[in-house]
């Protein structure tokens, strides 16, 4: 099975948890895009849901598929959020933000009663840290935050686009990707990063996922926290 096939399998499996009338958090990235497209098919077939997207790209995709979009004024709490991840460690500790959407992802997923992670099995790790940990930073604070992340030994690098321009998030911030190496104590690393003034959010999602649907040649495995 190709990685794309596995992503599709996980995304389709997550649709089984979607019920008529639900409010949904719509994730970002390639796996989530498959989920949103499949959801669009169901909406075309008469399923009634509404969603809040975790990125401008996912919102555009959802709107193109006529999936109704809501907001936190109308819908303060979501029934279910479905999103991918860059790494899935023990206890369903996640690294997210490879696609740059970590801030809205954390906002949306923390407002959901249930958060399902969908991924192919390459995302499972014994310890987080192989994937660079994204940290979203206020633009003017970049030099200070960079220095402080370096002092923590987290090896930050400013994210750029392929054309060399600086990557700017949907919320107009920079992203520092931290080649931290192994992260033995994600809660401590999260607290250390959060204590730096100028950091908006980091890509460690701890104690947030309800369960993960992991697809491989063996099919889909539900991994509980
Ligand atoms: C975006 C994310 C994505 O969920 C993560 O990057 C996984 O993406 P993909 O499904 O393309 O592997 O956190 O900010």
């Amino acid at each position: 099975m190709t990685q794309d096939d596995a992503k599709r399998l996980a995304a389709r499996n997550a649709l089984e948890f979607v019920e008529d009338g639900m409010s949904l958090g719509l994730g970002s990235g390639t796996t989530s895009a498959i989920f949103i497209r499949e959801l669009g098919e169901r909406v075309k077939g008469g399923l009634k849901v509404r969603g809040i997207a975790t990125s401008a790209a996912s919102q555009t995709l959802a709107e193109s598929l006529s999936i109704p979009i809501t907001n936190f004024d109308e819908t303060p709490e979501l029934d279910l959020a479905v999103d991918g991840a860059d790494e899935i460690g023990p206890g369903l500790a996640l690294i997210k933000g490879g696609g740059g959407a970590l801030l809205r992802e954390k906002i949306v997923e923390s407002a959901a009663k249930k958060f399902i992670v969908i991924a192919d099995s390459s995302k499972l790790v014994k310890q987080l840290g192989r994937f660079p940990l994204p940290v979203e930073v206020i633009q003017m604070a970049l030099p200070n935050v960079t220095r402080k992340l370096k002092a923590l030994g987290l090896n930050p690098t400013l994210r750029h686009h392929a054309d060399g321009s600086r990557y700017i998030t949907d919320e107009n911030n920079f992203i520092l990707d931290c080649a931290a190496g192994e992260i033995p104590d994600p809660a401590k690393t999260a607290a250390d990063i959060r204590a730096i003034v100028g950091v908006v959010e980091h890509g460690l999602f701890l104690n947030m996922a309800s369960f993960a649907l992991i697809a491989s040649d063996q099919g889909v495995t539900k991994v509980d926290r």
Side-chain angles (χ1 to χ4, degrees):
M1 183 183 292
T2 66
Q3 193 180 21
D4 281 350
D5 289 339
K7 288 178 181 184
R8 188 163 301 105
L9 189 60
R12 282 195 176 142
N13 207 275
L15 274 174
E16 291 176 18
F17 296 87
V18 175
E19 293 168 18
D20 205 51
M22 274 187 162
S23 54
L24 302 172
L26 305 172
S28 297
T30 53
T31 319
S32 292
I34 298 169
F35 174 81
I36 294 169
R37 283 201 187 88
E38 298 274 342
L39 183 69
E41 286 300 311
R42 302 287 174 100
V43 167
K44 215 186 281 173
L47 180 77
K48 298 266 181 295
V49 291
R50 57 202 190 285
I52 298 184
T54 56
S55 60
S58 290
Q59 176 148 343
T60 303
L61 177 60
E63 284 171 343
S64 76
L65 298 163
S66 304
I67 298 171
I69 296 296
T70 182
N71 56 51
F72 287 123
D73 281 324
E74 278 175 6
T75 315
E77 190 179 44
L78 298 166
D79 294 307
L80 172 67
V82 178
D83 199 356
D86 298 301
E87 274 190 353
I88 305 167
L92 296 187
L94 311 175
I95 289 182
K96 287 185 51 55
L102 64 136
L103 177 56
R104 287 198 197 179
E105 288 173 338
K106 207 174 265 190
I107 293 168
V108 169
E109 281 136 35
S110 64
K113 284 185 237 172
K114 196 182 277 182
F115 167 30
I116 302 178
V117 182
I118 48 174
D120 65 88
S121 58
S122 71
K123 304 292 181 68
L124 280 178
V125 295
K126 291 208 170 68
Q127 193 166 60
L128 295 180
R130 192 178 58 196
F131 190 92
L133 172 63
V135 178
E136 183 157 346
V137 180
I138 293 284
Q139 293 200 18
M140 77 164 288
L142 182 68
N144 302 18
V145 175
T146 304
R147 261 195 305 276
K148 289 185 176 167
L149 289 171
K150 276 186 186 160
L152 289 172
L154 293 175
N155 298 316
T157 308
L158 184 62
R159 188 179 296 189
H160 289 83
H161 290 287
D163 68 3
S165 61
R166 291 170 169 197
Y167 182 93
I168 308 281
T169 68
D170 286 343
E171 256 57 52
N172 211 28
N173 299 311
F174 289 142
I175 288 195
L176 286 163
D177 288 305
C178 295
E182 293 193 340
I183 302 176
D185 187 348
K188 178 174 187 318
T189 300
D192 287 346
I193 296 173
R194 185 167 293 284
I196 301 172
V197 176
V199 166
V200 182
E201 196 46 85
H202 56 75
L204 285 166
F205 285 47
L206 309 179
N207 303 313
M208 289 182 67
S210 308
F211 58 89
L213 298 170
I214 307 295
S216 68
D217 288 337
Q218 280 70 51
V220 176
T221 308
K222 180 170 176 276
V223 180
D224 290 309
R225 224 204 286 167

